């Protein structure tokens, strides 16, 4: 179908309300301006900015003044707006603004993972109700085309696992700790100084950002609804220089991983296990060489096998690239009077608690160097039905370092084992406890 034409015979422009003009929004405006001609040719109609909502208009000398407004709600409601692009972030006021747009049949492009992970179902329902599009490629892994492949390209396959590095800030910090041997606090300080960590790094370092992304990935991959509350979450604040050194000693490195798994019980009951936590992975694993602020995600599917998606997971221009890709898709749908793929949550899989999820642990202990210590420690593992895969002991003068790597056991059993081992009189210190991923 051809684009609707205005009275002069030219295609009717698609009018866009931009909500937010910060790191990402500024780059969206730049790309829309610099590439206006190409975008119009690709879409079949020009894109025009109807307005830009911000909090502090005086700060925005880089955009035409007449477009700026502090009244985001009026802009969204305006009859002059076809598509709403939201790059404000957070839950309020964005939830109300996007629901208003979608209820009124205005398609939405958003980079807001926190909103999607908490209120995705409300947004999808509103989009379905009015037939509007809801696109959000930029919400996970910035510039990397990942959500569209999961939602569209792999829609004919059965995805079993998605595992990746989806937070650039924490990956920058962990990569730097690995390279320098420095501790967490001083590396975070350096990351803030260089502009990689935000003034309030909580969402990144405590794993909230990655958990929101994991919820979105699991929902798309497994055709079910997963919210941030379903995701087990641990951040990187507790990762110490000793953990990094212990990992290095065994040819591993530490990464903050988001892991989404389809779990099938012996009776055939399916559920999803979604978790975010630091883990040791072998230095030979492809995710081990993902350093700095880069992201990478591994996807395993029954027919397709293993795939890896890699690229810039954050930053104004990379994220704006994903936003523009979505805007072009939405605009093309409008020109064709159609809509993109709907939400697919038919599987309605329950979320498996972390305690029941099988994991593997690396445990590094300082123990008394005397006869019978190893057997006391091993007995605790046996008591909890946790099988030991490897043990390494190094004697020093009065004590010894004992490193144990387990086979897979439930996370609850592994935790109880570590608690009990830590209480043994012969154990002087539990130096490092970390999950191990990426090895059989
Ligand atoms: P910024 O903080 O840089 O920008 C936020 C913008 O929203 C600012 O322009 C701010 O206005 C505006 N704003 C805030 N509150 C309101 C409000 N109530 N009404 C109108 N405007 C408001 O955020 P980012 O650009 O970094 O992030 C935007 C979104 O993109 C977030 O959802 C984020 O998670 C996501 N994202 C960001 C990435 C990145 O690398 N930065 C990567 C991937 C996703 P003012 O400037 O006047 O204060
Ligand atoms: N704070 C996020 C990160 C931005 O560090 O990856 C991208 O979502």
């Amino acid at each position: 179908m051809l684009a609707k034409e205005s009275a002069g015979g030219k295609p009717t422009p698609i009018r866009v309300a931009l909500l937010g003009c910060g790191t990402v929004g500024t780059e969206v405006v730049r790309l829309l301006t610099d590439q206006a001609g190409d975008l119009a040719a690709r879409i079949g109609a020009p894109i025009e900015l109807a307005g830009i909502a911000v909090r502090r208009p005086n700060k925005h000398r880089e955009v035409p003044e007449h477009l700026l407004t502090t009244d985001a709600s009026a802009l969204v409601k305006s009859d002059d707006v076809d598509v709403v692009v939201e790059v404000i972030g957070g839950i309020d006021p964005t939830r109300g603004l996007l629901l208003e747009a979608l209820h009124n049949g205005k398609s939405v492009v958003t980079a807001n993972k926190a909103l999607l992970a908490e209120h995705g179902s409300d947004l999808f329902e509103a989009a379905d109700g009015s037939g509007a599009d809801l696109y959000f490629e930029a919400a996970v892994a910035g510039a990397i085309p990942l959500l569209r492949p999961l939602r569209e390209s792999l829609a004919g396959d059965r995805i079993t696992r998605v595992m990746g590095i989806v937070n650039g800030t924490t990956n920058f910090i962990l990569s730097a700790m690995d390279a320098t041997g420095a501790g967490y606090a001083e590396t975070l300080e350096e990351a803030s100084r260089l502009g990689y960590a935000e003034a309030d790094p909580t969402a990144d370092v405590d794993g909230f950002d990655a958990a929101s992304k994991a919820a979105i990935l699991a929902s798309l991959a497994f055709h079910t609804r997963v919210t941030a509350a379903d995701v087990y979450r641990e951040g990187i604040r507790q990762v110490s220089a000793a953990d990094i050194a212990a990992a290095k000693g065994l040819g591993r490195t530490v990464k903050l991983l988001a892991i989404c798994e389809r779990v099938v019980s012996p009776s055939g009951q399916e559920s999803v296990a979604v978790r975010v936590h630091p883990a040791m992975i072998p230095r030979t694993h492809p995710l081990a060489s993902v350093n700095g602020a880069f992201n990478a995600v591994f996807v395993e599917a029954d027919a397709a096998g293993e795939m890896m998606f890699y690229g810039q997971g954050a930053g104004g221009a990379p994220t704006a690239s994903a936003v523009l890709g979505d805007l072009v898709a939405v605009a093309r749908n409008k020109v064709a009077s159609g809509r993109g793929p709907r939400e697919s949550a038919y599987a309605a899989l329950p979320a498996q608690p972390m305690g029941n999820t099988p994991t593997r642990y690396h445990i590094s202990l300082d123990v008394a160097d005397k006869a019978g210590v190893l057997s006391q420690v091993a007995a605790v593992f046996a008591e909890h039905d946790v099988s030991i895969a490897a043990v390494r002991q190094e004697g020093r003068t009065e004590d010894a370092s004992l490193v144990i790597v387990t086979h897979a056991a439930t996370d609850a059993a592994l935790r109880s084992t570590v608690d009990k081992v830590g209480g043994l009189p012969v154990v002087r210190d539990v130096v490092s406890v970390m999950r191990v991923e990426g090895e059989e």
Side-chain angles (χ1 to χ4, degrees):
M1 191 180 289
L2 293 175
K4 281 190 195 125
E5 290 189 350
S6 62
K10 289 190 179 152
T12 308
I14 289 166
R15 302 276 294 168
V16 173
L18 180 64
L19 310 184
C21 196
T23 307
V24 180
T26 308
E27 287 299 312
V28 169
V29 175
R30 184 181 68 77
L31 292 178
L32 278 175
T33 311
D34 290 357
Q35 304 185 34
D38 283 334
L39 292 172
R42 289 170 201 169
I43 293 163
I47 299 261
E48 286 180 6
L49 275 171
I52 303 173
V54 293
R55 249 179 330 189
R56 299 162 294 175
N58 295 338
K59 215 190 84 183
H60 297 275
R61 306 262 177 250
E62 73 287 1
V63 294
E65 201 183 334
H66 71 277
L67 290 176
L68 291 170
T69 175
T70 51
D71 194 345
S73 175
L75 179 60
V76 165
K77 286 183 183 137
S78 165
D79 291 338
D80 187 32
V81 166
D82 303 305
V83 179
V84 173
V85 174
E86 185 269 311
V87 282
I88 291 177
I91 309 297
D92 282 318
T94 53
R95 179 171 173 271
L97 292 169
L98 298 195
L99 284 174
E100 168 80 27
L102 292 166
H103 281 311
N104 287 296
K106 294 175 186 179
S107 293
V108 164
V109 173
T110 176
N112 193 334
K113 57 240 158 187
L115 180 64
L116 286 157
E118 267 190 48
H119 299 286
S121 59
D122 296 346
L123 298 175
F124 286 119
E125 218 169 273
D128 282 346
S130 68
D133 276 332
L134 174 59
Y135 277 60
F136 46 94
E137 184 65 66
V140 183
I144 307 171
L146 174 63
L147 302 191
R148 201 126 4 122
L150 288 179
R151 185 150 106 160
E152 298 179 33
S153 320
L154 290 164
D157 208 333
R158 181 175 180 276
I159 297 172
T160 50
R161 196 162 199 259
V162 179
M163 173 167 101
I165 295 166
V166 293
N167 183 269
T169 306
T170 48
N171 201 51
F172 178 87
I173 293 170
L174 292 173
S175 303
M177 286 174 75
D178 186 88
T180 63
Y184 166 75
E186 61 183 295
T187 311
L188 171 62
E189 221 170 88
E190 179 70 353
S192 305
R193 199 182 60 73
L194 294 172
Y196 283 98
E198 293 191 28
D200 177 3
T202 309
D204 294 316
V205 301
D206 288 336
F208 291 101
D209 176 82
S212 294
K213 292 167 177 171
I216 295 170
L217 288 171
S219 302
L220 290 179
F222 306 132
H223 303 273
T224 189
R225 281 202 181 123
V226 177
T227 67
D230 297 320
V231 181
Y232 174 81
R233 176 188 53 79
E234 272 177 35
I236 65 162
R237 277 185 209 266
Q238 307 305 325
V239 177
S240 63
D243 291 322
I244 304 279
K248 265 189 165 173
L250 289 170
R252 298 187 177 109
T253 187
V254 177
K255 296 289 183 192
L256 182 73
L257 297 181
I259 304 172
C260 315
E261 290 166 309
R262 188 192 285 276
V263 182
V264 186
S265 75
S267 64
Q269 176 85 37
E270 285 203 346
S271 57
V272 289
V274 189
R275 53 197 162 107
V276 166
H277 55 70
M280 290 184 185
I281 56 173
R283 294 186 97 81
T284 49
H285 192 282
L287 289 178
S289 54
V290 177
N291 287 315
F294 276 78
N295 285 188
V297 177
F298 240 73
V299 178
E300 294 172 31
D302 277 351
E306 292 181 348
M307 288 150 281
M308 183 154 150
F309 299 81
Y310 171 80
Q312 297 200 61
T319 309
S321 162
V323 170
L324 262 284
D326 280 356
L327 182 53
V328 168
V330 164
R332 283 174 172 160
N333 293 341
K334 277 201 91 57
V335 166
S337 301
R339 71 173 293 214
R342 298 157 55 107
E343 184 203 17
S344 167
Y346 69 91
L349 301 175
Q352 176 174 264
M354 184 63 184
N356 296 350
T357 301
T359 55
R360 295 181 64 201
Y361 272 32
H362 165 287
I363 301 145
S364 182
L365 306 168
D366 272 354
V367 296
D369 194 5
K370 57 183 186 186
V373 170
L374 192 54
S375 68
Q376 285 186 50
V377 170
V380 177
F381 281 77
E383 208 180 287
H384 291 86
D385 207 15
V386 172
S387 166
I388 293 174
V391 180
R392 194 175 80 174
Q393 183 172 357
E394 272 172 25
R396 296 194 284 250
T397 26
E398 286 173 6
D399 59 6
S401 149
L402 189 60
V403 175
I404 297 169
V405 181
T406 72
H407 284 300
T410 63
D411 204 74
L414 285 160
R415 272 175 183 255
S416 310
T417 307
V418 172
D419 286 349
K420 182 129 189 221
V421 162
L424 291 174
V426 291
V427 173
R428 294 189 173 150
D429 191 17
V430 178
V431 180
S432 162
V433 178
M434 196 164 288
R435 297 183 184 87
V436 177
E437 293 291 334
E439 352 180 324
E440 289 312 308

